[in-house]
Amino acid sequence: MTREDDNDTPRLTRRAVLATLGVGATSGCLRSIQSTAGRDTPDQISLSVKTVPADDDPRATRIARFLVTNLQQVGIDAKVVPMSREELLRDVLLNHSFDIYVAQHPGYRDPDFLRPLTHSMFGVELGWQNPFGYANLELDDRLERQTRQTGAARTKKLKRIQRTLVRNQPFSVVGFPESIRATRDDRYAGRDDLPVNSLPWYLSLSEQEGVGTTDATSDETATPQTTSAANETRTTDTETASEPTTFRTTLTDARPTENLNPLAIEFRGPERITSLMYDSPGRYVDGDIVPWLAESFEMTTEGSDRLVSRLRLREDLRWHDDTPLTADDVAFTFEFLQDTSMGNLSTAVPSPRFRGLTSLVESVEATSERDVRIEFGSVAEPVARRVFTVPVLPEHVWEQQTGRAMASSLNTDSAVTKALVWNNPNPVGSGPFRFVSSSVKQSVVLEPYEDHFLARDDVASPAGGFHLPTFDRLEFALVPSSGAAVELLQRGEADATASTLLPEDVSAIGRNDKLSLHVSQSSGFYHVGYNVRQAPLSNPRFRRAVARLIDKPFLVDDVFRGYASPASSPLGNDGVVPAGLRWKGQDPELPFHGSEGELEVEAARSEFEQIGYRYTKNGRLLSG
């Protein structure tokens, strides 16, 4: 295993050594390498590229097709395998059953997301915990060190982490898309500086003049009548005036209509519906984590480097079923997410979602009805504060889901609890919106929770800068496509798009003066992921050669129509990204073999030969 040019000596922990015991230093593979002795004749290399169908995400599909075409041109037997979103995430994140996949990462708030994504100790876990099976002891050490550092020291470590990942390519970043959404602002309008479909945006919506009025004649202007018919008319007018007002949004992803379990990794996407129902001790507001369910949280250091938080909840918090929310629920949540079996099975079964955050917590204790003590160990405060964004779960609901799931679609050697496969048909949260109903492949309906703390008059800022909306219902309606969502907006049958729109629909929005276009940079990057547990993808040189078959500038222009930024690093192109990895017209590390989407086949084939692979006379690339 090579070392970078730096002056810090890696500190190999016992856990890190055990995690990679028996793995070849150059393979990056977590499983034992099978012997190739006795193989009579090498076979043509065959690879499948899994992704979603064009109806679900045409961008991912086109990236996969582009890659497969070029794999075939260099002599690899390659094919695209389309599957539904939940099937893809199940195969990649839970079953680890794939060669290559193309998908969009869900995004991140802090560079520490790279730790669960690539640290070897997570390689046998589920979710976005190292689905590649990548192992690198030096990288493990740096990933752990950056959690304890701040400022320039952390930036330096993060730059070295990025260089290692880009050099070894457990996954290839394609680019960061822009999130495109649209609103119709004649009924309600939200703050322009907040992302559409985020919780703060929904809580900033203000009713526009004229909303809620009806065409019915008011009692003050109606002609006096004394007949029963007149009474019936007035009753009808009253019912019309009191009909619930609904804020209508569109979804192009059916998964939320089928499953509302905040822990079900294969069903959670960027629609954020569960985050509206489940509150957390802290929330991101204007880029900072501020107290939310918590009235306050304080950080102190005990001993030489042990970080401890004392969290105090707001008074009189309640779940949507009117059960009191207490510090016991907070303590239960962290214990439960670290082991969803709560000790009932022989080994811990952590929740794949929020795993990177809960792995920072060493212990948690409810010290009173409103107070919680959380021990982090040796972790820098900016990294630890993100733990406050974990959604709190009601103990009286989730303690019933700790048993082993007897029937599961997960093909994994690990135990699976009911909590991870339950569809949570009647969610009980504590968030600003309460569940009303759902209809599979049709809609999800929520309503403002009138007993939420934001309904009080004495909530201090920054949480106090938001309010419960005045509408009665929040409806997420499933539509077949991005274009169909825009049509509903144009006809006044929808107020906003929850799912992102495709670039080809932008012009239709611009031509309608009643619609507003909202474009923001996404932190969820499209990428090509490799299963490094198996040959030939266990060879980093092979992965690098494959990465040079991806023309990122062409894909950004052709697939994303310019609404994306190509990148080499999973942290994008600025900030803590090393100067040598910032985008300057082409990939700074692994430029495409060709230009304008056209592959220079001979140059690409030559690279595979240079790293030790052979071709048959008819151009097939051999496995050995």
Side-chain angles (χ1 to χ4, degrees), residues 145-162:
R145 287 193 182 192
Q146 61 83 29
T147 66
R148 303 189 292 270
Q149 296 173 323
T150 59
R154 189 183 187 213
T155 297
K156 182 179 180 181
K157 197 69 64 186
L158 289 170
K159 288 182 177 181
R160 289 170 177 161
I161 288 169
Q162 292 170 79

Side-chain angles (χ1 to χ4, degrees), residues 291-400:
W292 195 257
L293 277 180
E295 181 178 275
S296 64
F297 33 70
E298 299 177 354
M299 295 284 202
T300 59
T301 301
E302 296 183 357
S304 59
D305 61 355
R306 181 168 297 277
L307 189 67
V308 175
S309 170
R310 289 172 175 81
L311 180 154
R312 184 166 179 79
L313 294 174
R314 298 181 188 274
E315 288 186 294
D316 195 26
L317 296 174
R318 308 192 79 79
W319 296 105
H320 293 162
D321 62 1
D322 205 36
T323 303
L325 188 162
T326 70
D328 286 334
D329 291 299
V330 178
F332 165 81
T333 295
F334 285 103
E335 294 172 1
F336 179 70
L337 293 178
Q338 289 178 333
D339 179 11
T340 56
S341 79
M342 294 298 286
N344 292 326
L345 301 181
S346 58
T347 58
V349 185
S351 167
R353 284 202 84 197
F354 315 110
R355 178 66 174 129
L357 297 179
T358 59
S359 67
L360 297 170
V361 175
E362 290 194 354
S363 67
V364 60
E365 177 188 6
T367 57
S368 75
E369 190 172 87
R370 293 175 56 197
D371 296 290
V372 182
R373 172 188 166 91
I374 303 175
E375 288 193 13
F376 295 96
S378 180
V379 180
E381 181 176 337
V383 175
R385 285 178 68 89
R386 296 180 302 115
V387 166
F388 299 136
T389 64
V390 170
V392 180
L393 303 176
E395 181 176 7
H396 65 284
V397 173
W398 289 87
E399 65 182 355
Q400 303 174 41

Side-chain angles (χ1 to χ4, degrees), residues 296-544:
S296 64
F297 33 70
E298 299 177 354
M299 295 284 202
T300 59
T301 301
E302 296 183 357
S304 59
D305 61 355
R306 181 168 297 277
L307 189 67
V308 175
S309 170
R310 289 172 175 81
L311 180 154
R312 184 166 179 79
L313 294 174
R314 298 181 188 274
E315 288 186 294
D316 195 26
L317 296 174
R318 308 192 79 79
W319 296 105
H320 293 162
D321 62 1
D322 205 36
T323 303
L325 188 162
T326 70
D328 286 334
D329 291 299
V330 178
F332 165 81
T333 295
F334 285 103
E335 294 172 1
F336 179 70
L337 293 178
Q338 289 178 333
D339 179 11
T340 56
S341 79
M342 294 298 286
N344 292 326
L345 301 181
S346 58
T347 58
V349 185
S351 167
R353 284 202 84 197
F354 315 110
R355 178 66 174 129
L357 297 179
T358 59
S359 67
L360 297 170
V361 175
E362 290 194 354
S363 67
V364 60
E365 177 188 6
T367 57
S368 75
E369 190 172 87
R370 293 175 56 197
D371 296 290
V372 182
R373 172 188 166 91
I374 303 175
E375 288 193 13
F376 295 96
S378 180
V379 180
E381 181 176 337
V383 175
R385 285 178 68 89
R386 296 180 302 115
V387 166
F388 299 136
T389 64
V390 170
V392 180
L393 303 176
E395 181 176 7
H396 65 284
V397 173
W398 289 87
E399 65 182 355
Q400 303 174 41
Q401 305 299 327
T402 59
R404 181 189 293 269
M406 302 309 295
S408 170
S409 59
L410 306 187
N411 181 25
T412 174
D413 295 333
S414 303
V416 176
T417 59
K418 296 177 182 178
L420 302 183
V421 298
W422 182 41
N423 66 357
N424 195 22
N426 295 292
V428 176
S430 63
F433 292 92
R434 177 168 56 184
F435 176 77
V436 174
S437 65
S438 65
S439 180
V440 174
K441 297 189 184 303
Q442 292 188 38
S443 65
V444 176
V445 180
L446 311 179
E447 66 181 3
Y449 180 44
E450 295 181 354
D451 287 333
H452 193 267
F453 71 84
L454 286 179
R456 305 170 190 172
D457 296 328
D458 59 347
V459 180
S461 293
F466 298 95
H467 57 82
L468 293 182
T470 57
F471 52 75
D472 301 304
R473 293 284 190 273
L474 173 58
E475 179 181 5
F476 295 85
L478 186 67
V479 295
S481 66
S482 169
V486 174
E487 288 181 9
L488 288 180
L489 282 175
Q490 291 172 326
R491 296 201 301 263
E493 297 176 21
D495 298 294
T497 60
S499 299
T500 57
L501 301 174
L502 295 177
E504 46 264 42
D505 295 311
V506 169
S507 59
I509 299 168
R511 291 193 299 267
N512 192 318
D513 58 7
K514 294 183 179 180
L515 305 185
S516 296
L517 180 67
H518 303 263
V519 180
S520 60
Q521 186 68 56
S522 170
S523 64
F525 51 89
Y526 277 84
H527 64 289
V528 177
Y530 310 108
N531 191 341
V532 308
R533 302 172 181 86
Q534 57 198 35
L537 295 167
S538 56
N539 184 342
R541 293 180 297 172
F542 183 88
R543 299 194 299 270
R544 287 174 61 88

Side-chain angles (χ1 to χ4, degrees), residues 201-227:
W201 183 78
Y202 284 113
L203 296 179
S204 76
L205 288 170
S206 298
E207 188 174 322
Q208 302 301 289
E209 186 176 352
V211 175
T213 61
T214 69
D215 294 333
T217 304
S218 68
D219 288 340
E220 288 78 11
T221 59
T223 302
Q225 301 181 53
T226 58
T227 63

Side-chain angles (χ1 to χ4, degrees), residues 100-132:
I100 299 174
Y101 73 88
V102 175
Q104 184 180 11
H105 185 271
Y108 64 93
R109 289 279 193 171
D110 185 273
D112 184 54
F113 87 98
L114 292 173
R115 178 176 54 88
L117 185 66
T118 59
H119 196 297
S120 64
M121 75 174 180
F122 294 105
V124 295
E125 294 196 17
L126 310 180
W128 286 104
Q129 279 64 248
N130 197 353
F132 325 105

